[in-house]
Amino acid sequence: MIAAIKPAGSNTRGLLAYLYGPGRQDEHLDPHIVAGFAMLGMPDPGRDENATLTELARYLDEPVRLRNGEFGQRVIDHVWHCPVRAAPEDRYLSDAEWGDIAHRIVEAAGIAPAGDDLACRWIAVRHADDHIHILATTVREDGRRPKLHDSGIRVGDTCREIEKDYGLRQLKKGDRTGTRRPTQAEMHKAKRLGWDQTSPEWLEDRIRAAIPHAKSAEELLAYLEADGILIKARRGPSGDLLGYAAGRPGDLNSKGEQIFHPGGKIAPDLTLPKLQARLEIVVLEEHPTARRNRPSTPWHQAADALDALHSDLADDTHAQAHIAALGELLAATAQKAPANLRAELQAASQAFARAQWSQVRAEDRAAYALRRAARDIVQMATGPDGSALAALIAALVWAAIVAGRWHDAKNHAHQADAARQTLHHLQAAADRALTPVLESLSTRQPSDQARRTLAHDVRAAIPDHADRILTDPAWPALATVLADAEAGGHQPHQLLKEAATRRELTTARQPARVLITRIRHTSRNPAPNPRAEAARRRTIRAGANGLDHPSHSPQIGAVAASDPSRRRRR
C-alpha cells in the first residue's frame, strides 16, 4: 500500500472538483466520502443530490477563514492531499475498511491525532476500487497549525502495519535514500510525448552514465551539456558552483518554458555536494606514462580492483564507498561493452542505482581503485577481447552478490532487493559473454589422461565442490584452461585453491564456468619464480611462528650485522 503525500495546495474547491469529477480518462466511478473528521451533517456531493462542491469546500475551509480573519499573516498553502493506493494483486477493500485505513493515515500524519477534538478537518473520497484520496485543510479548530514534520515517514510506517493487519502485499520500509516516484502528471506526459521514461528518470540515467567521464563537478556539467542535456548552474559572487539543475530537451511547462529539475530532486545522491565528494577526492596522481606502461588492459584492471571488494566490507564507511563506486564501474562497463551485451548490462546498471546508496556515510577515498578503473574503461578502453570481458562480468556477478549480502546484514531491504535484480541481469550477461569462450576452449581439449590428472587436482584442491565441478557441462573447457596454465608454468592445484578462496562456489550456478573466468584471469600473469615463491613461504612460516619478518630474528639480525659479505650484498 502506497500513501503519497502531495505538495501543499491552496484551492480546496479545485481539488474536490477533480476528486468528484470524471477523471482524466473517465476512470472515476461513484465518488463518495468513506471517512471524515465528522461524518454527521457533512455534505457529500456523491451521496446527497442537494450538496454541492462549493458547500463542502466551505465546510472544510471554515477554520482557515476564521484564522485568516483574526491574524495578519494569511494561511495560503493549506490543502493537504494524500492518495492511498493498494497493490494490483490486493483483495477488494470495502468502504468501511478504507474508512479505517484513512483514520489511521491521518492520525499517523498528525492531521487528526487520536482523541484530539480540535484537529484539522478532513475527508477521504473513494472513486475507484483500489484507492482513496484524503483531503485535509491544515488549520486546526483552535486556529493552530498541525505538526506535520516527517509525516511521510510516519505514514509509511503505518502503511506497513496496515498491510500486515489486512493481509495485503507487504512493501519494504522506506529509508529516505530512494528516488521519488514519478507523479501521475509526469507519467501521462511521458506517454503523450512517446517517451519511455519520465524526465527525472531519463536525467538520472544520463547523469549516472556521465560520472565516470569526469574528475570534477565542473567537468561533469560540461560533459552533460555536450551530451545535449540542458544545465542551469547556480553560482556565487565568486563564480564558485553552488548547485545545478538539469533539463530534458522538449520538456516544457504549460507556458512553453523549459522545465529544470534540481539534482537532489532527480535522486538524493545526485546533489552537488555528494557529487563533489565522489569526484574531487584527494588522490595521488599517476605519472602520465604509468597508465601506458601498465601490463593489463582496463578490463583486467577493473577485475583486479573488484578482488578487494569483499575484504573492504568490514568497515561500513569503506563498504558504502565501494558499493557506490561499483555502480560507476557498472555504468562504464555497459557503455563500452559490445552491442550483444549492452542491454543486459545497462539494465543491471539501472537496477543497481537503488543499491548504491544507504544511510551509511561513505569514505570515498577508500574506493579510488574502483573509480579509477571505471574512468580508465570509459577513457582508454577499446573493444575488449572475449576472455577479458567475461572475467570482468564474472567479477561483477560476485561483487553484486557481496553487495547484496552487506545490505542484507545491515537490513537495507530496498538496496538488497536492487542488488538481487542486478544479479539477474549480470548473470544473463555473463552467460552470453562466456559462450564464445567456451566454444573456443572446447575445440582443443586435453587428452583423457590429462583430464583424469586434472580431475584429481580438482578433488584435492576443492573437495567440497568437486562433484559439481566435474559434472558441470563446462568441465572439459575448464580442463583446457588448467592445461594451458600448467603449460605456462602454473600449478593447477594452486590455481584452483586460490580461485576458490577468492570467490566461494556455493552460490555459483555453474562452478566450472566461474573457475574458468577466474583462472584465465589469474594465469594470464607469468608464473611465479620458484626461488621467490620459496622465500615468500619462508616469510609466511616465520610470521606464523611469531616473527613478522626473518630479519626481525635477533640471531639473524646479529649475523647480518657481523658479516661484511652480507652487508656488501645488500
Side-chain angles (χ1 to χ4, degrees):
M1 177 166 287
I2 296 174
I5 299 175
K6 303 296 183 180
S10 59
N11 189 347
T12 306
R13 173 65 171 74
L15 180 56
L16 287 172
Y18 168 73
L19 298 182
Y20 279 92
R24 293 185 176 89
Q25 298 177 351
D26 296 328
E27 72 275 20
H28 293 180
L29 304 174
D30 187 25
H32 59 281
I33 296 174
V34 294
F37 77 102
M39 290 296 288
L40 292 177
M42 184 160 52
D44 181 2
R47 289 290 181 266
D48 183 355
E49 60 183 14
N50 296 318
T52 65
L53 296 178
T54 301
E55 181 184 8
L56 179 56
R58 287 177 178 171
Y59 193 68
L60 294 170
D61 281 342
E62 184 63 25
V64 182
R65 286 197 300 274
L66 290 174
R67 177 188 168 102
N68 287 343
E70 294 177 4
F71 296 94
Q73 186 174 3
R74 295 176 58 84
V75 176
I76 299 175
D77 295 335
H78 63 276
V79 180
W80 188 85
H81 177 207
C82 179
V84 185
R85 186 178 298 272
E89 64 270 28
D90 284 340
R91 65 178 179 83
Y92 176 85
L93 296 170
S94 66
D95 279 0
E97 289 173 318
W98 274 119
D100 175 63
I101 290 170
H103 276 282
R104 295 173 67 169
I105 294 292
V106 294
E107 179 181 340
I111 293 293
D116 188 347
D117 295 333
L118 300 177
C120 299
R121 297 189 176 190
W122 64 274
I123 59 171
V125 176
R126 183 180 189 179
H127 55 207
D129 288 345
D130 62 347
H131 71 279
I132 59 172
H133 290 259
I134 303 175
L135 184 159
T137 50
T138 56
V139 173
R140 293 164 45 86
E141 297 287 349
D142 56 10
R144 294 185 295 123
R145 303 298 300 275
K147 296 179 180 179
L148 302 179
H149 180 67
D150 282 340
S151 59
I153 297 175
R154 298 192 300 271
V155 167
D157 292 343
T158 297
C159 285
R160 305 293 82 78
E161 296 172 1
I162 291 171
E163 291 160 357
K164 294 178 183 178
D165 294 344
Y166 281 89
L168 308 177
R169 176 186 174 186
Q170 295 186 20
L171 302 180
K172 298 176 179 63
K173 184 177 179 179
D175 61 358
R176 307 178 77 176
T177 62
T179 57
R180 68 172 179 84
R181 294 178 179 274
T183 65
Q184 290 288 332
E186 289 172 338
M187 290 189 289
H188 287 312
K189 184 176 187 178
K191 183 178 180 180
R192 185 174 70 252
L193 296 176
W195 293 342
D196 293 334
Q197 295 174 294
T198 63
S199 290
E201 293 171 326
W202 185 88
L203 290 168
E204 180 185 0
D205 286 349
R206 275 144 188 82
I207 294 173
R208 293 194 188 282
I211 289 173
H213 293 266
K215 293 182 181 179
S216 68
E218 294 282 6
E219 281 190 20
L220 177 64
L221 297 186
Y223 182 90
L224 290 170
E225 284 188 307
D227 196 35
I229 294 171
L230 304 175
I231 297 295
K232 181 188 289 185
R234 183 167 56 87
R235 298 184 182 276
S238 63
D240 292 341
L241 186 62
L242 302 179
Y244 79 99
R248 181 180 190 174
D251 186 13
L252 309 177
N253 62 19
S254 58
K255 298 179 181 179
E257 300 167 336
Q258 176 65 46
I259 296 175
F260 286 91
H261 301 267
K265 297 292 186 181
I266 296 172
D269 60 295
L270 297 183
T271 62
L272 180 64
K274 290 182 179 179
L275 287 173
Q276 287 174 329
R278 295 157 65 183
L279 295 171
E280 299 174 357
I281 58 176
V282 178
V283 296
L284 293 174
E285 290 293 335
E286 287 186 307
H287 191 275
T289 60
R291 291 190 178 188
R292 293 198 299 268
N293 294 334
R294 286 180 193 163
S296 300
T297 68
W299 308 97
H300 285 123
Q301 292 160 19
D304 289 337
L306 286 169
D307 281 344
L309 180 64
H310 190 275
S311 60
D312 284 324
L313 296 190
D315 183 291
D316 284 351
T317 61
H318 288 197
Q320 181 58 73
H322 278 83
I323 290 173
L326 176 59
E328 296 172 23
L329 181 57
L330 269 170
T333 305
Q335 291 175 49
K336 289 290 187 173
N340 66 318
L341 302 176
R342 198 168 299 148
E344 288 290 356
L345 291 174
Q346 286 176 342
S349 178
Q350 291 171 351
F352 198 74
R354 186 64 182 89
Q356 280 183 257
W357 296 99
S358 69
Q359 292 286 6
V360 177
R361 186 179 181 86
E363 175 49 67
D364 292 298
R365 291 182 179 88
Y368 169 65
L370 276 180
R371 289 202 164 94
R372 184 188 66 188
R375 289 172 183 168
D376 283 354
I377 285 176
V378 296
Q379 294 173 5
M380 301 171 59
T382 55
D385 64 82
S387 177
L389 183 59
L392 174 56
I393 297 177
L396 288 170
V397 168
W398 174 232
I401 293 172
V402 171
R405 288 178 177 176
W406 183 77
H407 282 309
D408 271 327
K410 300 300 174 182
N411 296 316
H412 301 160
H414 293 279
Q415 291 87 339
D417 185 57
R420 284 187 284 271
Q421 294 176 35
T422 303
L423 181 61
H424 171 76
H425 294 292
L426 285 176
Q427 285 174 332
D431 290 343
R432 190 171 298 175
L434 193 57
T435 297
V437 177
L438 293 176
E439 292 175 353
S440 175
L441 292 170
S442 299
T443 61
R444 50 185 188 85
Q445 298 179 29
S447 65
D448 291 343
Q449 177 60 39
R451 284 205 302 272
R452 285 193 291 270
T453 302
L454 293 170
H456 176 75
D457 287 330
V458 171
R459 293 192 180 279
I462 320 175
D464 293 341
H465 300 282
D467 289 338
R468 291 179 63 214
I469 294 168
L470 297 176
T471 57
D472 192 315
W475 158 241
L478 174 58
T480 304
V481 170
L482 292 171
D484 289 346
E486 188 172 26
H490 293 274
Q491 297 295 325
H493 178 271
Q494 187 63 27
L495 288 173
L496 287 162
K497 288 186 68 175
E498 289 179 0
T501 300
R502 289 178 179 269
R503 202 293 196 199
E504 57 87 6
L505 300 175
T506 302
T507 57
R509 296 171 303 152
Q510 296 174 295
R513 291 187 171 211
V514 171
L515 291 171
I516 287 170
T517 55
R518 168 59 60 183
I519 291 173
R520 291 200 85 186
H521 178 69
T522 304
S523 63
R524 78 188 191 281
N525 297 319
N529 182 284
R531 292 185 178 180
E533 182 65 16
R536 185 183 69 83
R537 290 178 180 175
R538 285 196 300 272
T539 302
I540 293 173
R541 285 198 297 271
N545 291 329
L547 301 172
D548 294 333
H549 190 276
S551 64
H552 292 181
S553 167
Q555 294 179 350
I556 295 175
V559 172
S562 62
D563 187 349
S565 63
R566 288 178 179 269
R567 287 199 297 272
R568 281 196 301 272
R569 283 197 293 271
R570 284 188 242 156

